[in-house]
Amino acid sequence: KIENQWVNGKISNFDFLMQLNSLAGRSFNDLTQYPVFPWVIADYESEELDFEDPSTFRDLSKPMGALGEDRAASFRERYESLASTILSEDDPPPFHYGTHYSTSAYVLYYLMRLEPFSRLALALQGGRFDVADRLFHDVGKSWRNASGNNLQDVRELIPEFYYLPDFLVNSNGFDFGETQKGTTVDDVTLPPWAKGDPYRFVRLNRKALESPHVSKHLHKWVDLIFGYKQRG
């Protein structure tokens, strides 16, 4: 029924994904099974977004670890290397990714500016926030890490990116320290097209999620995470 409603345009992409997360046992009440949403925008450099340009969007047919041939080749090489070292059935199986697209730590990474997640993030790190360079402080940098630069990072997003600008603002005035370059970590640095406005960022992110391009290709990501292609 939900699938038919979505296919016929009676519910939004956002509502469809929330329904899928719920059916999969994911809940806002469980950090270890928190709702997962896709990155849909791939452009974090431009002053304006062009939703008519396919290059604006992430390739939803591939997991984060396979975005870009060089990145995918590195993971394949890892798998083949591990496979070649297996000597018995007792050895651990080979794998492509040593991490997951959604974990409780990733949820706290994104939501550390909001209570009660701030306190949970502190508890996770033994009473202090993580090193400033490892904190969520720049959307574009997080995208580059998850889609290309960091082979230890294949994380997807959480629903808040599509409806809650508050998580991008350090309204509680937490001291997150400074990066190695001397930059104070405070509000999240937004891409140029957001014009420094968290509300605009969320609005455009949501607009991208509901765009014709994403609507046409979203089922491919659904198959990866919830469907017959999932291995999580």
Side-chain angles (χ1 to χ4, degrees):
K1 181 179 178 180
I2 295 172
E3 182 180 1
N4 288 334
Q5 288 179 330
W6 177 60
V7 169
N8 292 320
K10 294 183 179 180
I11 61 174
S12 67
N13 292 340
F14 180 89
D15 289 336
F16 178 59
L17 291 176
M18 285 303 304
Q19 294 273 15
L20 284 180
N21 274 280
S22 180
L23 291 171
R26 291 183 170 273
S27 166
F28 288 111
N29 297 319
D30 186 352
L31 290 178
T32 65
Q33 292 293 327
Y34 205 78
V36 57
F37 267 59
W39 292 90
V40 296
I41 294 175
D43 181 358
Y44 294 90
E45 307 293 335
S46 299
E47 291 291 335
E48 301 290 343
L49 288 176
D50 181 3
F51 290 138
E52 300 299 321
D53 183 356
S55 67
T56 297
F57 301 94
R58 167 255 184 107
D59 184 351
L60 290 165
S61 70
K62 298 177 180 178
M64 294 300 292
L67 295 181
E69 185 52 40
D70 291 343
R71 181 172 170 88
S74 296
F75 284 117
R76 284 196 297 268
E77 182 180 346
R78 170 197 279 177
Y79 182 93
E80 292 165 0
S81 176
L82 291 172
S84 68
T85 63
I86 294 179
L87 301 177
S88 72
E89 294 181 355
D90 296 328
D91 291 335
F95 57 85
H96 287 92
Y97 312 128
T99 184
H100 206 254
Y101 54 76
S102 175
T103 69
S104 56
Y106 294 166
V107 175
L108 296 179
Y109 167 82
Y110 288 131
L111 296 179
M112 67 178 188
R113 290 169 176 80
L114 287 181
E115 291 286 14
F117 305 101
S118 307
R119 295 178 187 274
L120 294 171
L122 286 169
L124 180 66
Q125 296 295 330
R128 57 171 296 172
F129 290 109
D130 201 357
V131 176
D133 287 275
R134 292 201 293 260
L135 297 176
F136 177 47
H137 63 275
D138 186 319
V139 176
K141 182 179 179 180
S142 292
W143 160 255
R144 290 188 292 273
N145 283 338
S147 65
N149 295 346
N150 187 350
L151 294 182
Q152 306 304 317
D153 189 349
V154 294
R155 74 191 68 186
E156 293 280 6
L157 298 183
I158 54 176
E160 284 80 356
F161 274 79
Y162 298 97
Y163 77 89
L164 187 69
D166 307 65
F167 84 101
L168 300 164
V169 181
N170 184 21
S171 58
N172 290 311
F174 290 113
D175 181 3
F176 297 120
E178 294 183 353
T179 66
Q180 293 183 3
K181 294 182 178 180
T183 303
T184 298
V185 177
D186 191 27
D187 296 343
V188 177
T189 299
L190 303 175
W193 45 261
K195 313 299 183 187
D197 183 353
Y199 288 86
R200 178 179 171 87
F201 171 81
V202 169
R203 179 173 62 81
L204 289 176
N205 224 25
R206 182 67 170 266
K207 183 177 180 180
L209 179 65
E210 304 296 345
S211 67
H213 179 91
V214 172
S215 297
K216 182 179 179 180
H217 297 281
L218 185 58
H219 68 281
K220 300 173 184 177
W221 184 85
V222 168
D223 286 339
L224 290 171
I225 304 300
F226 301 104
Y228 76 102
K229 292 184 178 180
Q230 67 92 13
R231 297 291 184 272

